[in-house]
Amino acid sequence: MPTLLEKIWQAHLVHQQPGRPDVLYIDRHLVQEVTSPQAFEGLRQAGHAVRRPDLTFATMDHNVPTIDRDHIEDPISAKQIEVLRQNCREFGIKLYDLGSSRQGIVHVIGPELGLTLPGLTLVCGDSHTSTHGALGALAFGIGTSEVEQVLATQCLPQAKPRTMAICLEGQLQRGVSAKDLILGVIGRIGIAGGIGCVVEYRGQAIRELSIEGRLTVCNMTIECGARAGMVAPDDKTFKYLEGRPFAPQGKEFERALDYWQTLPSDPDARFDHEVVFDVSDFAPQVSWGTHPGQMTEITGRVPDPDNYADEGQRRAAERALAYMALEPGMPITDIHLDRVFIGSCTNARLEDLRAAAAVVRGKRVAASVQGMVVPGSQQVKAQAEAEGLDRVFRDAGFEWRESGCSMCLGMNPDVLQPGQRCASTSNRNFEGRQGHGGRTHLVSPMMAAAAAIAGHFVDVRDWFRQGKITEEVTLS
Amino acid sequence: MRPFEEFSGLVAPIDRPDVDTDQIIPKQFLKRVERSGFGQFLFYDWRRRQDGSLDRDFVLNRPRYRGAQVLLTRENFGCGSSREHAPWALLDAGFRVIIAPSFADIFKNNCFKNGMLPLELANELVDQWFQRVAAQEGYRITVDLTAQMLTGSDGFCCSFEIDPFRKRCLLQGLDEIGLTLEHESEIGAYEETHREPWQAAVAGQREEQ
Ligand code: SF4
């Protein structure tokens, strides 16, 4: 009666000893420029080699320019990128460099390349590594010391996390997407609701979601404090993987399939925690505060801190409203935007761009808004261009960029100016996240697109009802 | 890693829940390629006003908390980004112990890896410590890791829980990479038996770029 997590855990035990954490084997290690330099330096100082360079893959995403790839203005960013190149060369690690057609945000390219497979353990020095769990892998973010440890030993000592099932039943309304699902869940269980747990998402709404939608859901799992999110692999997963560069092929694929089909949690599996939500009444979500748990629906209002019974929550809400410059009781639809950012490892895959483009097609970005679309990878960019999505965005007045993390965290030149307000498809609305003094509202790609057109938040469901959006949109 | 000996330090209180690592060290300071030198950027945006001048109201700028080595704070400290730069900045600024009702998982791990002690105490106890720190200037807490005891300069004390393995690593300054490499033969054996391309091997690298 083991769960998906327990099956993967058991299959990766290298060493088990009472009173110590289990030593797990790590199948895939993804590396990026910000969290790895000190790890490589540590290796050099200790005289360690990289144990399995063939299981280690690198790309640069956080710092990279999204306009002109050849000119990195900030010398410190340039150095970090150069140091990654040198380290990959020295230790024999495959790097998807800036000029590569496979470069992209590490959590977008992992699944895209077929590096992420069901039943694997996958780590990266980045909290949103939880994304990869959407394919049925155990994937989690680690710190730089752990990056060094995995480079040196290909193993990680880990205490076994608790298990949590989040069951999402019911059918999503038109205009409500995977992003709204996960934002709605975080709004309900809170940003510490999953601490110490690995979450398995289950239920009708998850089964009906596309793989890209599941990636969005698992991506934000870290925002409720959980270690990782997972979805049991199914036929959609297998179909998604077929033919990807690093996925098994032919006879090997068949044999892999035999194994993958044994992975889903047994019917009588028991979880340490279980919550169930009916998502059929979920509306599009909009964050009003400075963490992803401060969430409401498009039909809602900015909360009044005085209505919080809990003293800590009340003060947190007051601080958040002051930072966000919002008035208690204000309708969410009255919030006007300066910037719209469609991008990040949460929502910059092809389906996200298709969904946003369906909303945008034939319309114009409001004069007061600067809109920006940053594909999650160069592959996504190429596919989107092949479908003409770039034209839809450009014609509407959006900027169309090269791939990278961009304004998700603004380590490159893409930043909010102090006081600017942004509708963002990314995953974090912390103070200053998108630029010092910047104000971030987390939303889905469709909601961001509609806000860009209207200049303020609107209920994108209305646009569907009113026939302002004519295309069918896949869930994502 | 430096062994964790019994130690006593001035306490600084940050009375906020959910302090995220973007606040502990804003991203513009993540570009260094060294482990050191991050202390000056700790809580950068909270320490300074919009115009760059020091905000004297921010608790760590107040003279009475200068030189603090124990940080007292609220639940879910260290949430958000996995950046180990957050504990590096805290350590570099002098903090070795952080007391809170709860920590984000990755942050907690990162602390232990750097010889820091993230201590989880019940909410009511954390409240107690907050009151005592506020009541007395120069308030210090002594940490006895072996006995798992905290003692304040007014005599208030409480015990704390810690994972026995973590405790041993801290007390002895054990290097986890070294510990894992003790299992070298088991790692090798695992690799021998897991060579399918959906295990600890990758299917032929068909695409070169
Ligand atoms: S897109 Fe944002 S959340 Fe994702 S890896 Fe980049 S910085 Fe992190």
PDB file of all heavy atoms in Angstrom, chain A residues 411-442:
ATOM      1  N   MET A 411      16.886  39.670 -11.772  1.00  0.00           N
ATOM      2  CA  MET A 411      18.341  39.697 -11.576  1.00  0.00           C
ATOM      3  C   MET A 411      19.025  40.205 -12.837  1.00  0.00           C
ATOM      4  O   MET A 411      20.215  40.428 -12.872  1.00  0.00           O
ATOM      5  CB  MET A 411      18.877  38.305 -11.249  1.00  0.00           C
ATOM      6  CG  MET A 411      18.792  37.982  -9.781  1.00  0.00           C
ATOM      7  SD  MET A 411      19.601  36.456  -9.345  1.00  0.00           S
ATOM      8  CE  MET A 411      21.327  36.929  -9.355  1.00  0.00           C
ATOM      9  N   ASN A 412      18.241  40.318 -13.900  1.00  0.00           N
ATOM     10  CA  ASN A 412      18.755  40.881 -15.150  1.00  0.00           C
ATOM     11  C   ASN A 412      18.162  42.298 -15.265  1.00  0.00           C
ATOM     12  O   ASN A 412      17.556  42.778 -14.308  1.00  0.00           O
ATOM     13  CB  ASN A 412      18.373  39.956 -16.318  1.00  0.00           C
ATOM     14  CG  ASN A 412      16.896  40.014 -16.628  1.00  0.00           C
ATOM     15  OD1 ASN A 412      16.109  40.571 -15.858  1.00  0.00           O
ATOM     16  ND2 ASN A 412      16.496  39.455 -17.737  1.00  0.00           N
ATOM     17  N   PRO A 413      18.280  42.971 -16.386  1.00  0.00           N
ATOM     18  CA  PRO A 413      17.761  44.347 -16.430  1.00  0.00           C
ATOM     19  C   PRO A 413      16.227  44.463 -16.392  1.00  0.00           C
ATOM     20  O   PRO A 413      15.714  45.583 -16.311  1.00  0.00           O
ATOM     21  CB  PRO A 413      18.299  44.878 -17.769  1.00  0.00           C
ATOM     22  CG  PRO A 413      19.460  44.000 -18.097  1.00  0.00           C
ATOM     23  CD  PRO A 413      19.110  42.661 -17.549  1.00  0.00           C
ATOM     24  N   ASP A 414      15.500  43.354 -16.446  1.00  0.00           N
ATOM     25  CA  ASP A 414      14.034  43.435 -16.465  1.00  0.00           C
ATOM     26  C   ASP A 414      13.506  43.593 -15.044  1.00  0.00           C
ATOM     27  O   ASP A 414      13.307  42.606 -14.333  1.00  0.00           O
ATOM     28  CB  ASP A 414      13.437  42.171 -17.097  1.00  0.00           C
ATOM     29  CG  ASP A 414      14.062  41.847 -18.454  1.00  0.00           C
ATOM     30  OD1 ASP A 414      14.634  42.779 -19.065  1.00  0.00           O
ATOM     31  OD2 ASP A 414      14.000  40.685 -18.886  1.00  0.00           O
ATOM     32  N   VAL A 415      13.260  44.821 -14.642  1.00  0.00           N
ATOM     33  CA  VAL A 415      12.796  45.055 -13.265  1.00  0.00           C
ATOM     34  C   VAL A 415      11.669  46.087 -13.245  1.00  0.00           C
ATOM     35  O   VAL A 415      11.562  46.930 -14.127  1.00  0.00           O
ATOM     36  CB  VAL A 415      13.921  45.565 -12.340  1.00  0.00           C
ATOM     37  CG1 VAL A 415      14.932  44.488 -12.056  1.00  0.00           C
ATOM     38  CG2 VAL A 415      14.593  46.796 -12.909  1.00  0.00           C
ATOM     39  N   LEU A 416      10.872  45.996 -12.181  1.00  0.00           N
ATOM     40  CA  LEU A 416       9.888  47.046 -11.929  1.00  0.00           C
ATOM     41  C   LEU A 416      10.599  48.241 -11.324  1.00  0.00           C
ATOM     42  O   LEU A 416      11.556  48.083 -10.567  1.00  0.00           O
ATOM     43  CB  LEU A 416       8.838  46.570 -10.929  1.00  0.00           C
ATOM     44  CG  LEU A 416       7.896  45.447 -11.351  1.00  0.00           C
ATOM     45  CD1 LEU A 416       6.924  45.160 -10.213  1.00  0.00           C
ATOM     46  CD2 LEU A 416       7.152  45.818 -12.615  1.00  0.00           C
ATOM     47  N   GLN A 417      10.107  49.413 -11.633  1.00  0.00           N
ATOM     48  CA  GLN A 417      10.598  50.613 -10.958  1.00  0.00           C
ATOM     49  C   GLN A 417       9.839  50.748  -9.625  1.00  0.00           C
ATOM     50  O   GLN A 417       8.736  50.229  -9.486  1.00  0.00           O
ATOM     51  CB  GLN A 417      10.350  51.844 -11.843  1.00  0.00           C
ATOM     52  CG  GLN A 417      11.088  51.817 -13.159  1.00  0.00           C
ATOM     53  CD  GLN A 417      12.577  51.520 -12.996  1.00  0.00           C
ATOM     54  OE1 GLN A 417      13.257  52.178 -12.209  1.00  0.00           O
ATOM     55  NE2 GLN A 417      13.074  50.504 -13.689  1.00  0.00           N
ATOM     56  N   PRO A 418      10.443  51.453  -8.661  1.00  0.00           N
ATOM     57  CA  PRO A 418       9.756  51.617  -7.367  1.00  0.00           C
ATOM     58  C   PRO A 418       8.340  52.151  -7.572  1.00  0.00           C
ATOM     59  O   PRO A 418       8.133  53.091  -8.335  1.00  0.00           O
ATOM     60  CB  PRO A 418      10.627  52.633  -6.633  1.00  0.00           C
ATOM     61  CG  PRO A 418      11.983  52.475  -7.228  1.00  0.00           C
ATOM     62  CD  PRO A 418      11.760  52.103  -8.662  1.00  0.00           C
ATOM     63  N   GLY A 419       7.378  51.514  -6.920  1.00  0.00           N
ATOM     64  CA  GLY A 419       5.991  51.965  -6.993  1.00  0.00           C
ATOM     65  C   GLY A 419       5.205  51.397  -8.157  1.00  0.00           C
ATOM     66  O   GLY A 419       3.980  51.497  -8.166  1.00  0.00           O
ATOM     67  N   GLN A 420       5.865  50.804  -9.136  1.00  0.00           N
ATOM     68  CA  GLN A 420       5.114  50.252 -10.267  1.00  0.00           C
ATOM     69  C   GLN A 420       4.324  49.022  -9.833  1.00  0.00           C
ATOM     70  O   GLN A 420       4.768  48.241  -8.994  1.00  0.00           O
ATOM     71  CB  GLN A 420       6.066  49.863 -11.412  1.00  0.00           C
ATOM     72  CG  GLN A 420       6.427  51.036 -12.296  1.00  0.00           C
ATOM     73  CD  GLN A 420       7.144  50.580 -13.559  1.00  0.00           C
ATOM     74  OE1 GLN A 420       7.851  49.573 -13.570  1.00  0.00           O
ATOM     75  NE2 GLN A 420       6.972  51.345 -14.625  1.00  0.00           N
ATOM     76  N   ARG A 421       3.171  48.862 -10.456  1.00  0.00           N
ATOM     77  CA  ARG A 421       2.283  47.751 -10.127  1.00  0.00           C
ATOM     78  C   ARG A 421       2.198  46.807 -11.325  1.00  0.00           C
ATOM     79  O   ARG A 421       1.992  47.249 -12.451  1.00  0.00           O
ATOM     80  CB  ARG A 421       0.902  48.313  -9.809  1.00  0.00           C
ATOM     81  CG  ARG A 421      -0.078  47.307  -9.272  1.00  0.00           C
ATOM     82  CD  ARG A 421      -1.415  47.959  -8.993  1.00  0.00           C
ATOM     83  NE  ARG A 421      -1.369  48.972  -7.946  1.00  0.00           N
ATOM     84  CZ  ARG A 421      -1.244  48.716  -6.646  1.00  0.00           C
ATOM     85  NH1 ARG A 421      -1.168  47.471  -6.227  1.00  0.00           N
ATOM     86  NH2 ARG A 421      -1.202  49.691  -5.767  1.00  0.00           N
ATOM     87  N   CYS A 422       2.362  45.522 -11.037  1.00  0.00           N
ATOM     88  CA  CYS A 422       2.493  44.554 -12.127  1.00  0.00           C
ATOM     89  C   CYS A 422       1.568  43.353 -11.927  1.00  0.00           C
ATOM     90  O   CYS A 422       1.478  42.810 -10.823  1.00  0.00           O
ATOM     91  CB  CYS A 422       3.943  44.069 -12.172  1.00  0.00           C
ATOM     92  SG  CYS A 422       4.282  42.843 -13.436  1.00  0.00           S
ATOM     93  N   ALA A 423       0.879  42.967 -12.997  1.00  0.00           N
ATOM     94  CA  ALA A 423       0.189  41.675 -13.017  1.00  0.00           C
ATOM     95  C   ALA A 423       1.189  40.683 -13.580  1.00  0.00           C
ATOM     96  O   ALA A 423       1.680  40.863 -14.685  1.00  0.00           O
ATOM     97  CB  ALA A 423      -1.051  41.735 -13.900  1.00  0.00           C
ATOM     98  N   SER A 424       1.491  39.643 -12.809  1.00  0.00           N
ATOM     99  CA  SER A 424       2.584  38.754 -13.185  1.00  0.00           C
ATOM    100  C   SER A 424       2.145  37.300 -13.139  1.00  0.00           C
ATOM    101  O   SER A 424       1.440  36.888 -12.219  1.00  0.00           O
ATOM    102  CB  SER A 424       3.763  38.977 -12.242  1.00  0.00           C
ATOM    103  OG  SER A 424       4.795  38.078 -12.539  1.00  0.00           O
ATOM    104  N   THR A 425       2.581  36.517 -14.123  1.00  0.00           N
ATOM    105  CA  THR A 425       2.250  35.087 -14.121  1.00  0.00           C
ATOM    106  C   THR A 425       3.285  34.272 -13.360  1.00  0.00           C
ATOM    107  O   THR A 425       3.292  33.051 -13.425  1.00  0.00           O
ATOM    108  CB  THR A 425       2.166  34.533 -15.559  1.00  0.00           C
ATOM    109  OG1 THR A 425       3.481  34.592 -16.131  1.00  0.00           O
ATOM    110  CG2 THR A 425       1.205  35.331 -16.404  1.00  0.00           C
ATOM    111  N   SER A 426       4.172  34.945 -12.629  1.00  0.00           N
ATOM    112  CA  SER A 426       5.220  34.242 -11.886  1.00  0.00           C
ATOM    113  C   SER A 426       4.665  33.700 -10.578  1.00  0.00           C
ATOM    114  O   SER A 426       3.452  33.618 -10.396  1.00  0.00           O
ATOM    115  CB  SER A 426       6.395  35.183 -11.672  1.00  0.00           C
ATOM    116  OG  SER A 426       5.951  36.329 -10.973  1.00  0.00           O
ATOM    117  N   ASN A 427       5.546  33.360  -9.668  1.00  0.00           N
ATOM    118  CA  ASN A 427       5.110  32.617  -8.484  1.00  0.00           C
ATOM    119  C   ASN A 427       5.331  33.318  -7.152  1.00  0.00           C
ATOM    120  O   ASN A 427       4.926  32.815  -6.120  1.00  0.00           O
ATOM    121  CB  ASN A 427       5.814  31.258  -8.466  1.00  0.00           C
ATOM    122  CG  ASN A 427       7.294  31.408  -8.800  1.00  0.00           C
ATOM    123  OD1 ASN A 427       7.956  32.322  -8.323  1.00  0.00           O
ATOM    124  ND2 ASN A 427       7.804  30.520  -9.634  1.00  0.00           N
ATOM    125  N   ARG A 428       6.014  34.445  -7.153  1.00  0.00           N
ATOM    126  CA  ARG A 428       6.286  35.093  -5.857  1.00  0.00           C
ATOM    127  C   ARG A 428       5.996  36.581  -5.925  1.00  0.00           C
ATOM    128  O   ARG A 428       6.420  37.252  -6.867  1.00  0.00           O
ATOM    129  CB  ARG A 428       7.743  34.886  -5.436  1.00  0.00           C
ATOM    130  CG  ARG A 428       7.963  33.495  -4.973  1.00  0.00           C
ATOM    131  CD  ARG A 428       9.315  33.246  -4.360  1.00  0.00           C
ATOM    132  NE  ARG A 428       9.326  31.886  -3.863  1.00  0.00           N
ATOM    133  CZ  ARG A 428      10.354  31.060  -3.938  1.00  0.00           C
ATOM    134  NH1 ARG A 428      11.483  31.463  -4.461  1.00  0.00           N
ATOM    135  NH2 ARG A 428      10.256  29.844  -3.464  1.00  0.00           N
ATOM    136  N   ASN A 429       5.307  37.062  -4.902  1.00  0.00           N
ATOM    137  CA  ASN A 429       4.959  38.476  -4.825  1.00  0.00           C
ATOM    138  C   ASN A 429       5.604  39.122  -3.610  1.00  0.00           C
ATOM    139  O   ASN A 429       5.065  40.073  -3.055  1.00  0.00           O
ATOM    140  CB  ASN A 429       3.437  38.638  -4.791  1.00  0.00           C
ATOM    141  CG  ASN A 429       2.793  37.747  -3.728  1.00  0.00           C
ATOM    142  OD1 ASN A 429       3.400  36.789  -3.260  1.00  0.00           O
ATOM    143  ND2 ASN A 429       1.574  38.060  -3.350  1.00  0.00           N
ATOM    144  N   PHE A 430       6.733  38.580  -3.163  1.00  0.00           N
ATOM    145  CA  PHE A 430       7.427  39.144  -2.008  1.00  0.00           C
ATOM    146  C   PHE A 430       7.813  40.595  -2.270  1.00  0.00           C
ATOM    147  O   PHE A 430       8.024  40.989  -3.420  1.00  0.00           O
ATOM    148  CB  PHE A 430       8.699  38.349  -1.717  1.00  0.00           C
ATOM    149  CG  PHE A 430       8.460  36.913  -1.366  1.00  0.00           C
ATOM    150  CD1 PHE A 430       9.356  35.935  -1.764  1.00  0.00           C
ATOM    151  CD2 PHE A 430       7.353  36.532  -0.628  1.00  0.00           C
ATOM    152  CE1 PHE A 430       9.152  34.600  -1.437  1.00  0.00           C
ATOM    153  CE2 PHE A 430       7.138  35.201  -0.296  1.00  0.00           C
ATOM    154  CZ  PHE A 430       8.046  34.234  -0.707  1.00  0.00           C
ATOM    155  N   GLU A 431       7.960  41.350  -1.193  1.00  0.00           N
ATOM    156  CA  GLU A 431       8.413  42.741  -1.317  1.00  0.00           C
ATOM    157  C   GLU A 431       9.678  42.789  -2.157  1.00  0.00           C
ATOM    158  O   GLU A 431      10.629  42.055  -1.896  1.00  0.00           O
ATOM    159  CB  GLU A 431       8.737  43.319   0.066  1.00  0.00           C
ATOM    160  CG  GLU A 431       7.524  43.572   0.931  1.00  0.00           C
ATOM    161  CD  GLU A 431       7.913  44.130   2.304  1.00  0.00           C
ATOM    162  OE1 GLU A 431       9.026  44.682   2.453  1.00  0.00           O
ATOM    163  OE2 GLU A 431       7.089  43.999   3.226  1.00  0.00           O
ATOM    164  N   GLY A 432       9.685  43.637  -3.158  1.00  0.00           N
ATOM    165  CA  GLY A 432      10.898  43.860  -3.935  1.00  0.00           C
ATOM    166  C   GLY A 432      11.280  42.734  -4.877  1.00  0.00           C
ATOM    167  O   GLY A 432      12.309  42.820  -5.544  1.00  0.00           O
ATOM    168  N   ARG A 433      10.475  41.690  -4.944  1.00  0.00           N
ATOM    169  CA  ARG A 433      10.854  40.524  -5.751  1.00  0.00           C
ATOM    170  C   ARG A 433      11.134  40.904  -7.218  1.00  0.00           C
ATOM    171  O   ARG A 433      12.099  40.488  -7.813  1.00  0.00           O
ATOM    172  CB  ARG A 433       9.724  39.488  -5.687  1.00  0.00           C
ATOM    173  CG  ARG A 433       9.857  38.328  -6.667  1.00  0.00           C
ATOM    174  CD  ARG A 433      10.791  37.280  -6.175  1.00  0.00           C
ATOM    175  NE  ARG A 433      10.834  36.138  -7.093  1.00  0.00           N
ATOM    176  CZ  ARG A 433      11.599  35.077  -6.918  1.00  0.00           C
ATOM    177  NH1 ARG A 433      12.388  34.999  -5.857  1.00  0.00           N
ATOM    178  NH2 ARG A 433      11.605  34.095  -7.771  1.00  0.00           N
ATOM    179  N   GLN A 434      10.253  41.721  -7.786  1.00  0.00           N
ATOM    180  CA  GLN A 434      10.416  42.052  -9.204  1.00  0.00           C
ATOM    181  C   GLN A 434      11.148  43.363  -9.409  1.00  0.00           C
ATOM    182  O   GLN A 434      11.216  43.876 -10.521  1.00  0.00           O
ATOM    183  CB  GLN A 434       9.041  42.114  -9.893  1.00  0.00           C
ATOM    184  CG  GLN A 434       8.324  40.765  -9.895  1.00  0.00           C
ATOM    185  CD  GLN A 434       7.147  40.760 -10.845  1.00  0.00           C
ATOM    186  OE1 GLN A 434       6.127  41.397 -10.587  1.00  0.00           O
ATOM    187  NE2 GLN A 434       7.275  40.058 -11.959  1.00  0.00           N
ATOM    188  N   GLY A 435      11.694  43.893  -8.334  1.00  0.00           N
ATOM    189  CA  GLY A 435      12.378  45.176  -8.401  1.00  0.00           C
ATOM    190  C   GLY A 435      12.078  45.930  -7.112  1.00  0.00           C
ATOM    191  O   GLY A 435      10.960  45.823  -6.581  1.00  0.00           O
ATOM    192  N   HIS A 436      13.047  46.665  -6.631  1.00  0.00           N
ATOM    193  CA  HIS A 436      12.910  47.365  -5.359  1.00  0.00           C
ATOM    194  C   HIS A 436      11.679  48.272  -5.372  1.00  0.00           C
ATOM    195  O   HIS A 436      11.533  49.116  -6.249  1.00  0.00           O
ATOM    196  CB  HIS A 436      14.170  48.187  -5.094  1.00  0.00           C
ATOM    197  CG  HIS A 436      14.138  48.870  -3.773  1.00  0.00           C
ATOM    198  ND1 HIS A 436      14.210  48.186  -2.583  1.00  0.00           N
ATOM    199  CD2 HIS A 436      14.015  50.168  -3.456  1.00  0.00           C
ATOM    200  CE1 HIS A 436      14.139  49.033  -1.583  1.00  0.00           C
ATOM    201  NE2 HIS A 436      14.020  50.250  -2.087  1.00  0.00           N
ATOM    202  N   GLY A 437      10.787  48.061  -4.430  1.00  0.00           N
ATOM    203  CA  GLY A 437       9.585  48.892  -4.338  1.00  0.00           C
ATOM    204  C   GLY A 437       8.490  48.510  -5.318  1.00  0.00           C
ATOM    205  O   GLY A 437       7.423  49.136  -5.346  1.00  0.00           O
ATOM    206  N   GLY A 438       8.720  47.482  -6.126  1.00  0.00           N
ATOM    207  CA  GLY A 438       7.716  47.045  -7.099  1.00  0.00           C
ATOM    208  C   GLY A 438       6.576  46.294  -6.417  1.00  0.00           C
ATOM    209  O   GLY A 438       6.760  45.693  -5.363  1.00  0.00           O
ATOM    210  N   ARG A 439       5.394  46.343  -7.034  1.00  0.00           N
ATOM    211  CA  ARG A 439       4.208  45.722  -6.440  1.00  0.00           C
ATOM    212  C   ARG A 439       3.679  44.649  -7.389  1.00  0.00           C
ATOM    213  O   ARG A 439       3.296  44.947  -8.510  1.00  0.00           O
ATOM    214  CB  ARG A 439       3.136  46.768  -6.194  1.00  0.00           C
ATOM    215  CG  ARG A 439       3.610  47.828  -5.215  1.00  0.00           C
ATOM    216  CD  ARG A 439       2.635  48.958  -5.073  1.00  0.00           C
ATOM    217  NE  ARG A 439       3.137  49.890  -4.071  1.00  0.00           N
ATOM    218  CZ  ARG A 439       3.146  51.215  -4.228  1.00  0.00           C
ATOM    219  NH1 ARG A 439       2.658  51.767  -5.317  1.00  0.00           N
ATOM    220  NH2 ARG A 439       3.623  51.983  -3.270  1.00  0.00           N
ATOM    221  N   THR A 440       3.653  43.426  -6.911  1.00  0.00           N
ATOM    222  CA  THR A 440       3.331  42.287  -7.773  1.00  0.00           C
ATOM    223  C   THR A 440       1.987  41.676  -7.418  1.00  0.00           C
ATOM    224  O   THR A 440       1.722  41.421  -6.242  1.00  0.00           O
ATOM    225  CB  THR A 440       4.412  41.199  -7.605  1.00  0.00           C
ATOM    226  OG1 THR A 440       5.681  41.762  -7.920  1.00  0.00           O
ATOM    227  CG2 THR A 440       4.132  40.005  -8.501  1.00  0.00           C
ATOM    228  N   HIS A 441       1.150  41.432  -8.429  1.00  0.00           N
ATOM    229  CA  HIS A 441      -0.072  40.645  -8.251  1.00  0.00           C
ATOM    230  C   HIS A 441       0.066  39.362  -9.051  1.00  0.00           C
ATOM    231  O   HIS A 441       0.284  39.408 -10.268  1.00  0.00           O
ATOM    232  CB  HIS A 441      -1.291  41.413  -8.761  1.00  0.00           C
ATOM    233  CG  HIS A 441      -1.564  42.678  -8.006  1.00  0.00           C
ATOM    234  ND1 HIS A 441      -2.309  42.697  -6.844  1.00  0.00           N
ATOM    235  CD2 HIS A 441      -1.191  43.961  -8.238  1.00  0.00           C
ATOM    236  CE1 HIS A 441      -2.395  43.951  -6.396  1.00  0.00           C
ATOM    237  NE2 HIS A 441      -1.712  44.736  -7.217  1.00  0.00           N
ATOM    238  N   LEU A 442      -0.049  38.220  -8.380  1.00  0.00           N
ATOM    239  CA  LEU A 442       0.082  36.940  -9.070  1.00  0.00           C
ATOM    240  C   LEU A 442      -1.243  36.550  -9.710  1.00  0.00           C
ATOM    241  O   LEU A 442      -2.288  36.579  -9.045  1.00  0.00           O
ATOM    242  CB  LEU A 442       0.492  35.853  -8.071  1.00  0.00           C
ATOM    243  CG  LEU A 442       1.787  36.107  -7.311  1.00  0.00           C
ATOM    244  CD1 LEU A 442       2.023  34.983  -6.295  1.00  0.00           C
ATOM    245  CD2 LEU A 442       2.968  36.217  -8.269  1.00  0.00           C
TER     246      LEU A 442
END
